[in-house]
Amino acid sequence: MALGSTVYKAGLNVSDMDRGYYCSHALTIARHPSETAERMMVRLLAFAFNASDFLSFGRGLSAEDEPDLWQKDLTGSISLWIEVSLPDERAVRKAASRAEKVIVYAYGGRAASVWWSQVEVKLSSIRNLEVYAIPAEASRTLGSVAERGMDLQCLIQEGSVWVSRGEESVSFSLERLR
């Protein structure tokens, strides 16, 4: 018998000074049985970085042909495809051919650095791709504050991020790799 996803509810208040975006979102996040709390929270963080009324979570780990998050326009065309983790080069190329813009949020410290050194040249010709690295300590801390019901505040300004839940908080700078 297969295990089902665990449902998390998150109230996310985003103040993105860089984009001039200020909004609260009530989110339902399905955490796949094989997904870590750290990865789920990085998905939530990716939502905060790109928050809009049209951005939604994909089926993630349970569907290889869908991203972690995506945004479709009114015609059903994919305007934004977001991957979290360390996707292989073929998956990124396929995403870039299907969407107007692709963003990868890499995390995992040394593993992310090794991944990027292996795929950087292979992905250099993809014009609609952006790649960011989240510091290992920040993603681990985010994973440790995950709860089935949580209210988070996220402030984004000049590439720096501050996420808090009650008394707990983490701040870091997002590193743009491409």
Side-chain angles (χ1 to χ4, degrees):
M1 176 184 243
L3 296 173
S5 294
T6 303
V7 176
Y8 286 72
K9 300 280 186 175
L12 178 64
N13 184 10
V14 179
S15 298
D16 188 336
M17 310 292 255
D18 296 343
R19 294 190 302 141
Y21 182 87
Y22 311 94
C23 195
S24 293
H25 296 272
L27 303 171
T28 301
I29 307 157
R31 180 177 163 194
H32 191 273
S34 66
E35 184 176 36
T36 64
E38 179 180 14
R39 185 180 192 284
M40 180 195 69
M41 292 300 285
V42 171
R43 284 194 300 135
L44 187 60
L45 185 63
F47 184 96
F49 289 137
N50 301 279
S52 81
D53 291 336
F54 302 105
L55 186 64
S56 62
F57 291 98
R59 290 182 291 166
L61 295 175
S62 61
E64 290 183 21
D65 61 335
E66 284 188 17
D68 292 303
L69 295 115
W70 56 2
Q71 183 171 311
K72 295 181 180 180
D73 65 19
L74 297 175
T75 67
S77 295
I78 303 167
S79 55
L80 179 59
W81 182 294
I82 299 172
E83 290 288 341
V84 168
S85 191
L86 312 173
D88 69 56
E89 176 235 343
R90 289 184 311 269
V92 175
R93 286 192 179 287
K94 185 175 179 181
S97 71
R98 294 180 62 193
E100 289 177 33
K101 182 177 181 180
V102 176
I103 302 175
V104 175
Y105 292 98
Y107 71 97
R110 174 94 175 109
S113 297
V114 170
W115 167 80
W116 183 240
S117 69
Q118 293 173 346
V119 300
E120 181 179 14
V121 172
K122 296 174 186 174
L123 300 178
S124 64
S125 64
I126 301 175
R127 292 193 176 131
N128 59 337
L129 174 66
E130 293 179 14
V131 181
Y132 297 93
I134 297 170
E137 185 61 35
S139 63
R140 279 193 297 270
T141 301
L142 284 170
S144 72
V145 302
E147 288 186 349
R148 300 239 352 236
M150 57 187 150
D151 287 311
L152 300 167
Q153 308 294 321
C154 183
L155 173 65
I156 302 165
Q157 184 175 16
E158 296 177 2
S160 294
V161 184
W162 178 74
V163 180
S164 69
R165 191 196 85 201
E167 297 294 317
E168 300 171 283
S169 68
V170 60
S171 60
F172 63 93
S173 292
L174 194 61
E175 181 185 356
R176 184 176 180 139
L177 301 175
R178 183 181 187 312

mmCIF file of all heavy atoms in Angstrom, residues 150-169:
data_model
loop_
_atom_site.group_PDB
_atom_site.id
_atom_site.type_symbol
_atom_site.label_atom_id
_atom_site.label_comp_id
_atom_site.label_asym_id
_atom_site.label_seq_id
_atom_site.Cartn_x
_atom_site.Cartn_y
_atom_site.Cartn_z
ATOM 1 N N MET A 150 1.069 26.579 9.575
ATOM 2 C CA MET A 150 2.074 27.605 9.891
ATOM 3 C C MET A 150 1.716 28.929 9.238
ATOM 4 O O MET A 150 1.075 28.972 8.203
ATOM 5 C CB MET A 150 3.474 27.148 9.474
ATOM 6 C CG MET A 150 3.624 26.778 8.030
ATOM 7 S SD MET A 150 5.251 26.060 7.685
ATOM 8 C CE MET A 150 4.828 24.982 6.336
ATOM 9 N N ASP A 151 2.132 29.987 9.898
ATOM 10 C CA ASP A 151 2.005 31.340 9.363
ATOM 11 C C ASP A 151 3.410 31.897 9.211
ATOM 12 O O ASP A 151 4.170 31.941 10.179
ATOM 13 C CB ASP A 151 1.185 32.233 10.292
ATOM 14 C CG ASP A 151 -0.283 31.884 10.261
ATOM 15 O OD1 ASP A 151 -0.830 31.775 9.143
ATOM 16 O OD2 ASP A 151 -0.889 31.709 11.333
ATOM 17 N N LEU A 152 3.735 32.299 7.997
ATOM 18 C CA LEU A 152 5.072 32.789 7.692
ATOM 19 C C LEU A 152 5.030 34.206 7.142
ATOM 20 O O LEU A 152 4.109 34.564 6.407
ATOM 21 C CB LEU A 152 5.744 31.885 6.653
ATOM 22 C CG LEU A 152 5.927 30.426 7.020
ATOM 23 C CD1 LEU A 152 6.305 29.620 5.794
ATOM 24 C CD2 LEU A 152 6.987 30.280 8.084
ATOM 25 N N GLN A 153 6.052 34.964 7.477
ATOM 26 C CA GLN A 153 6.269 36.287 6.917
ATOM 27 C C GLN A 153 7.517 36.203 6.048
ATOM 28 O O GLN A 153 8.511 35.616 6.468
ATOM 29 C CB GLN A 153 6.518 37.324 8.023
ATOM 30 C CG GLN A 153 5.483 37.343 9.116
ATOM 31 C CD GLN A 153 4.144 37.799 8.615
ATOM 32 O OE1 GLN A 153 4.054 38.708 7.794
ATOM 33 N NE2 GLN A 153 3.079 37.171 9.086
ATOM 34 N N CYS A 154 7.469 36.778 4.861
ATOM 35 C CA CYS A 154 8.630 36.757 3.978
ATOM 36 C C CYS A 154 8.866 38.161 3.429
ATOM 37 O O CYS A 154 8.007 38.724 2.754
ATOM 38 C CB CYS A 154 8.406 35.768 2.834
ATOM 39 S SG CYS A 154 9.831 35.627 1.741
ATOM 40 N N LEU A 155 10.025 38.711 3.737
ATOM 41 C CA LEU A 155 10.424 40.025 3.252
ATOM 42 C C LEU A 155 11.577 39.836 2.278
ATOM 43 O O LEU A 155 12.578 39.184 2.610
ATOM 44 C CB LEU A 155 10.862 40.919 4.407
ATOM 45 C CG LEU A 155 11.472 42.264 4.039
ATOM 46 C CD1 LEU A 155 10.434 43.160 3.356
ATOM 47 C CD2 LEU A 155 12.047 42.945 5.261
ATOM 48 N N ILE A 156 11.429 40.383 1.087
ATOM 49 C CA ILE A 156 12.458 40.277 0.056
ATOM 50 C C ILE A 156 12.867 41.694 -0.340
ATOM 51 O O ILE A 156 12.007 42.507 -0.704
ATOM 52 C CB ILE A 156 11.922 39.519 -1.177
ATOM 53 C CG1 ILE A 156 11.435 38.125 -0.779
ATOM 54 C CG2 ILE A 156 13.002 39.442 -2.261
ATOM 55 C CD1 ILE A 156 10.578 37.446 -1.812
ATOM 56 N N GLN A 157 14.171 41.970 -0.247
ATOM 57 C CA GLN A 157 14.655 43.297 -0.616
ATOM 58 C C GLN A 157 16.096 43.197 -1.096
ATOM 59 O O GLN A 157 16.963 42.683 -0.388
ATOM 60 C CB GLN A 157 14.565 44.253 0.572
ATOM 61 C CG GLN A 157 14.958 45.663 0.220
ATOM 62 C CD GLN A 157 14.741 46.615 1.382
ATOM 63 O OE1 GLN A 157 14.583 46.223 2.523
ATOM 64 N NE2 GLN A 157 14.740 47.902 1.078
ATOM 65 N N GLU A 158 16.323 43.678 -2.324
ATOM 66 C CA GLU A 158 17.654 43.727 -2.929
ATOM 67 C C GLU A 158 18.366 42.376 -2.871
ATOM 68 O O GLU A 158 19.548 42.290 -2.548
ATOM 69 C CB GLU A 158 18.492 44.824 -2.277
ATOM 70 C CG GLU A 158 17.923 46.211 -2.500
ATOM 71 C CD GLU A 158 18.705 47.297 -1.789
ATOM 72 O OE1 GLU A 158 19.721 46.995 -1.135
ATOM 73 O OE2 GLU A 158 18.280 48.456 -1.881
ATOM 74 N N GLY A 159 17.631 41.303 -3.162
ATOM 75 C CA GLY A 159 18.216 39.975 -3.184
ATOM 76 C C GLY A 159 18.377 39.328 -1.825
ATOM 77 O O GLY A 159 18.779 38.180 -1.729
ATOM 78 N N SER A 160 18.093 40.066 -0.769
ATOM 79 C CA SER A 160 18.147 39.498 0.576
ATOM 80 C C SER A 160 16.747 39.058 0.990
ATOM 81 O O SER A 160 15.751 39.676 0.620
ATOM 82 C CB SER A 160 18.671 40.522 1.588
ATOM 83 O OG SER A 160 20.017 40.816 1.304
ATOM 84 N N VAL A 161 16.701 37.996 1.767
ATOM 85 C CA VAL A 161 15.437 37.393 2.162
ATOM 86 C C VAL A 161 15.410 37.235 3.673
ATOM 87 O O VAL A 161 16.412 36.836 4.286
ATOM 88 C CB VAL A 161 15.275 35.996 1.510
ATOM 89 C CG1 VAL A 161 13.934 35.391 1.837
ATOM 90 C CG2 VAL A 161 15.497 36.077 0.018
ATOM 91 N N TRP A 162 14.259 37.520 4.255
ATOM 92 C CA TRP A 162 14.043 37.305 5.680
ATOM 93 C C TRP A 162 12.727 36.559 5.817
ATOM 94 O O TRP A 162 11.686 37.035 5.329
ATOM 95 C CB TRP A 162 14.009 38.652 6.402
ATOM 96 C CG TRP A 162 13.755 38.547 7.877
ATOM 97 C CD1 TRP A 162 14.637 38.130 8.825
ATOM 98 C CD2 TRP A 162 12.546 38.874 8.565
ATOM 99 N NE1 TRP A 162 14.047 38.178 10.072
ATOM 100 C CE2 TRP A 162 12.758 38.636 9.932
ATOM 101 C CE3 TRP A 162 11.309 39.344 8.151
ATOM 102 C CZ2 TRP A 162 11.781 38.839 10.894
ATOM 103 C CZ3 TRP A 162 10.331 39.552 9.114
ATOM 104 C CH2 TRP A 162 10.575 39.309 10.464
ATOM 105 N N VAL A 163 12.765 35.373 6.403
ATOM 106 C CA VAL A 163 11.567 34.562 6.614
ATOM 107 C C VAL A 163 11.421 34.340 8.101
ATOM 108 O O VAL A 163 12.388 33.963 8.780
ATOM 109 C CB VAL A 163 11.671 33.196 5.887
ATOM 110 C CG1 VAL A 163 10.417 32.366 6.115
ATOM 111 C CG2 VAL A 163 11.924 33.385 4.396
ATOM 112 N N SER A 164 10.213 34.563 8.614
ATOM 113 C CA SER A 164 10.000 34.339 10.042
ATOM 114 C C SER A 164 8.694 33.601 10.279
ATOM 115 O O SER A 164 7.742 33.696 9.508
ATOM 116 C CB SER A 164 9.996 35.667 10.808
ATOM 117 O OG SER A 164 8.841 36.410 10.483
ATOM 118 N N ARG A 165 8.716 32.844 11.358
ATOM 119 C CA ARG A 165 7.529 32.185 11.877
ATOM 120 C C ARG A 165 7.577 32.376 13.375
ATOM 121 O O ARG A 165 8.397 31.766 14.059
ATOM 122 C CB ARG A 165 7.529 30.693 11.543
ATOM 123 C CG ARG A 165 6.163 30.040 11.833
ATOM 124 C CD ARG A 165 6.242 28.561 11.893
ATOM 125 N NE ARG A 165 6.632 28.268 13.277
ATOM 126 C CZ ARG A 165 7.180 27.147 13.675
ATOM 127 N NH1 ARG A 165 7.445 26.214 12.820
ATOM 128 N NH2 ARG A 165 7.479 26.951 14.914
ATOM 129 N N GLY A 166 6.736 33.266 13.870
ATOM 130 C CA GLY A 166 6.756 33.574 15.297
ATOM 131 C C GLY A 166 8.103 34.145 15.697
ATOM 132 O O GLY A 166 8.587 35.104 15.117
ATOM 133 N N GLU A 167 8.732 33.511 16.665
ATOM 134 C CA GLU A 167 10.034 33.963 17.173
ATOM 135 C C GLU A 167 11.205 33.467 16.331
ATOM 136 O O GLU A 167 12.317 33.943 16.465
ATOM 137 C CB GLU A 167 10.221 33.498 18.627
ATOM 138 C CG GLU A 167 9.212 34.080 19.593
ATOM 139 C CD GLU A 167 9.368 35.580 19.742
ATOM 140 O OE1 GLU A 167 10.512 36.070 19.839
ATOM 141 O OE2 GLU A 167 8.332 36.268 19.730
ATOM 142 N N GLU A 168 10.950 32.487 15.473
ATOM 143 C CA GLU A 168 12.019 31.900 14.668
ATOM 144 C C GLU A 168 12.143 32.643 13.343
ATOM 145 O O GLU A 168 11.143 32.992 12.730
ATOM 146 C CB GLU A 168 11.727 30.424 14.398
ATOM 147 C CG GLU A 168 11.623 29.605 15.668
ATOM 148 C CD GLU A 168 11.117 28.214 15.386
ATOM 149 O OE1 GLU A 168 9.912 28.061 15.171
ATOM 150 O OE2 GLU A 168 11.968 27.302 15.386
ATOM 151 N N SER A 169 13.385 32.871 12.921
ATOM 152 C CA SER A 169 13.580 33.545 11.639
ATOM 153 C C SER A 169 14.900 33.109 11.016
ATOM 154 O O SER A 169 15.793 32.611 11.692
ATOM 155 C CB SER A 169 13.546 35.065 11.802
ATOM 156 O OG SER A 169 14.654 35.512 12.531
#
